[in-house]
Amino acid sequence: MSSESDVIIIGAGSSGLSAAKELSRLGLSYTVVEGSHRIGGRAYSEEIAPGVWFDLGCSYLHQAHANPFVAIADELGIPVAKDKGDLFEDDRIGHYRNGRPLTEEELAVHNRFWEECHSAIEASVTRGKDLAISELVDLENPYCIPYMAAMASLNTLDIDETSAADYFDFGGGQDIPVPNGYGNLVATWGHDVPVSLNTKVEKIDWSGPGISAETSKGTLKGKTVLTTVSNGVLNAGDILFNPVLPDWKQEAALGLPTGTENKVCVHFDRDVFGPDGRGWHSTWHDSDKTEDHAAGFEASVMGLNTGIVFTGGRHAVWMEKQGQPAFEDFAVSRIADVFGNDVRNHVTRSIATAWTSEPWTKGSYSMATPGNAHQRQKLAKPLNDRLFFAGEATVQTAQATCHGAYLSGVRAAGEIAAVLT
Ligand SMILES: Cc1cc2nc3c(=O)[nH]c(=O)nc-3n(C[C@H](O)[C@H](O)[C@H](O)COP(=O)(O)OP(=O)(O)OC[C@H]3O[C@@H](n4cnc5c(N)ncnc54)[C@H](O)[C@@H]3O)c2cc1C
């Protein structure tokens, strides 16, 4: 680990790695310190069965038309499923209430409700308001149950805690899966960046002309520091700053909490979905029981025998606390809602994520709370030409994504170069 550099980069996720590569291109020196034992951060793939990869964090190349990882994958010869980018288009999604598919009339009413929600959000944001989504939608509508579950899973917070403006700000585009894992793609792309692993930054002193960073492996000196850690980590006070961060910066991080999306990948010993079952399914019950909670799941998207069940917000935190067997049971029940109880006999293995208790992120990804959509810009602002900020939470329109994090690293490297050269 170099003891003196132009930039100390905290974190080797997508943003820290892209910043390192860009600094190198700009002729500046850096030291990347990573608290965990691996690079990639929230981009992380695990093999659930031989040759079958599950992404615990990012899995879709969102906004594929503007996503730099599409070209990176092409350059590295890593396949991406460009023909499967239509998964979330309306006509590809199945809807199941109390274990049976919606009729055409019900589907029309369901779709109209979603359109009304979208129009109400758009109208409110256009008027310059930043309200909670729950203030804008008809909570009594029977189709609000799957709507709330889908929104919580997408946004990581429940709709009463979600800024309509931040949600609306997200740019659209295709969502392309990566057959061998988005996490593997990021790890392959980032492997040439020298990183000091298992090195936790505990304290940043930016009181003098330079920076001193106390880590679990000793003190580092640098001209600047770039922090890429999640707001979950920042808000928990895991890194002490001397002097403390100004109030407006702390408010920006607090207004963009790292909420929770959790997933359970269930692997089956055979194709339980059939050729017509592949796709996205939304399932819910008219019941107050937590075990009947609504959820969406991906069925065998890559033609493999897996179902991946998604949940977000308070339910995701609660499921995480119940532990792996309860989470698997919940996930298998949702898959059984659509494909029948026989699926229970074919489960070989499951992996459930637990992002709230993950010490290096303390949550899944950022979402603005009502009134705080504007904080992303403030979070990105440097302090005293010494302390710089990148990471998914500092991004607008591609916020909360892996490629947004990448772009933030490039942006921050440019800001640093402008100061140092
Ligand atoms: C469940 C889930 C699903 C997602 N789905 C998608 C998706 O489909 N598509 C998409 O584009 N994005 C998705 N995302 C979001 C995407 O994964 C993240 O936005 C992106 O990976 C964040 O990158 P980052 O560099 O900002 O942060 P991170 O990846 O969190 O990197 C920060 C690094 O800092 C390290 N660190 C923390 N504290 C310290 C410390 N004190 N000292 C040293 N190092 C420290 C961490 O270990 C981490 O490696 C998903 C995320 C989750 C959790």
Side-chain angles (χ1 to χ4, degrees), residues 149-164:
M151 293 298 270
S153 162
L154 190 65
N155 297 320
T156 71
L157 299 175
D158 288 284
I159 57 172
D160 57 316
E161 297 181 313
T162 300
S163 150

Side-chain angles (χ1 to χ4, degrees), residues 155-420:
N155 297 320
T156 71
L157 299 175
D158 288 284
I159 57 172
D160 57 316
E161 297 181 313
T162 300
S163 150
D166 198 37
Y167 162 73
F168 193 72
D169 189 42
F170 188 75
Q174 283 205 313
D175 309 294
I176 297 182
V178 187
N180 295 324
Y182 202 159
N184 287 336
L185 163 60
V186 172
T188 305
W189 158 74
H191 87 282
D192 56 349
V193 175
V195 176
S196 176
L197 297 173
N198 301 307
T199 311
K200 182 184 182 192
V201 174
E202 287 157 355
K203 191 171 176 185
I204 300 289
D205 192 325
W206 57 295
S207 58
I211 294 280
S212 130
E214 277 177 35
T215 80
S216 50
K217 289 188 180 169
T219 301
L220 289 171
K221 299 273 182 208
K223 291 184 186 141
T224 61
V225 71
L226 171 62
T227 167
T228 73
V229 303
S230 73
N231 282 352
V233 168
L234 270 187
N235 292 337
D238 288 1
I239 301 175
L240 296 176
F241 290 89
N242 178 38
V244 292
L245 297 177
D247 287 352
W248 63 266
K249 183 65 86 177
Q250 292 191 44
E251 277 162 21
L254 287 167
L256 296 160
T258 311
T260 304
E261 178 190 83
N262 274 322
K263 331 184 212 183
V264 188
C265 181
V266 186
H267 184 257
F268 298 95
D269 62 12
R270 67 174 178 82
D271 180 4
V272 296
F273 307 113
D276 300 331
R278 297 204 176 101
W280 182 266
H281 304 275
S282 161
T283 166
W284 71 98
H285 293 261
D286 299 321
S287 140
D288 289 337
K289 291 188 197 154
T290 19
E291 64 266 30
D292 286 339
H293 199 277
F297 69 91
E298 243 184 64
S300 199
V301 167
M302 302 313 308
L304 303 165
N305 303 334
T306 54
I308 303 175
V309 179
F310 289 65
T311 177
R314 296 180 188 98
H315 182 257
V317 176
W318 185 82
M319 280 313 314
E320 190 173 322
K321 286 186 185 152
Q322 305 314 300
Q324 160 82 25
F327 217 161
E328 175 184 305
D329 196 47
F330 169 76
V332 174
S333 296
R334 293 295 73 82
I335 296 171
D337 285 347
V338 178
F339 292 101
N341 272 325
D342 187 46
V343 300
R344 297 178 192 279
N345 300 320
H346 296 283
V347 175
T348 55
R349 195 188 161 202
S350 72
I351 298 175
T353 67
W355 285 103
T356 308
S357 39
E358 163 56 47
W360 299 111
T361 60
K362 300 195 162 141
S364 301
Y365 47 89
S366 65
M367 185 71 214
T369 52
N372 283 313
H374 66 289
Q375 300 285 13
R376 294 196 186 273
Q377 266 182 338
K378 291 193 172 183
L379 188 69
K381 277 197 175 158
L383 292 171
N384 288 12
D385 287 345
R386 277 205 293 289
L387 203 44
F388 293 80
F389 294 83
E392 54 83 12
T394 65
V395 184
Q396 282 180 296
T397 73
Q399 66 268 33
T401 65
C402 188
H403 69 285
Y406 170 105
L407 295 171
S408 76
V410 175
R411 184 255 310 145
E415 290 167 352
I416 295 169
V419 168
L420 294 187

Side-chain angles (χ1 to χ4, degrees), residues 81-201:
K82 291 181 186 158
D83 58 331
K84 294 195 168 66
D86 57 351
L87 186 66
F88 298 110
E89 285 174 15
D90 282 351
D91 56 352
R92 304 273 313 162
I93 304 178
H95 302 272
Y96 303 81
R97 182 177 183 180
N98 300 322
R100 67 162 183 82
L102 295 188
T103 63
E104 271 189 33
E105 295 89 76
E106 288 168 336
L107 188 59
V109 180
H110 167 279
N111 290 350
R112 203 171 322 123
F113 172 68
W114 273 73
E115 282 160 22
E116 284 163 9
C117 293
H118 187 78
S119 302
I121 291 169
E122 183 172 22
S124 166
V125 175
T126 309
R127 283 196 302 273
K129 305 255 188 233
D130 186 8
L131 301 174
I133 290 179
S134 58
E135 291 185 68
L136 300 168
V137 303
D138 175 8
L139 298 173
E140 300 304 319
N141 187 300
Y143 294 113
C144 203
I145 295 174
Y147 179 80
M148 288 192 294
M151 293 298 270
S153 162
L154 190 65
N155 297 320
T156 71
L157 299 175
D158 288 284
I159 57 172
D160 57 316
E161 297 181 313
T162 300
S163 150
D166 198 37
Y167 162 73
F168 193 72
D169 189 42
F170 188 75
Q174 283 205 313
D175 309 294
I176 297 182
V178 187
N180 295 324
Y182 202 159
N184 287 336
L185 163 60
V186 172
T188 305
W189 158 74
H191 87 282
D192 56 349
V193 175
V195 176
S196 176
L197 297 173
N198 301 307
T199 311
K200 182 184 182 192
V201 174

Side-chain angles (χ1 to χ4, degrees), residues 60-71:
Y60 296 104
L61 294 154
H62 291 310
Q63 304 172 341
H65 60 286
N67 189 321
F69 281 111
V70 175

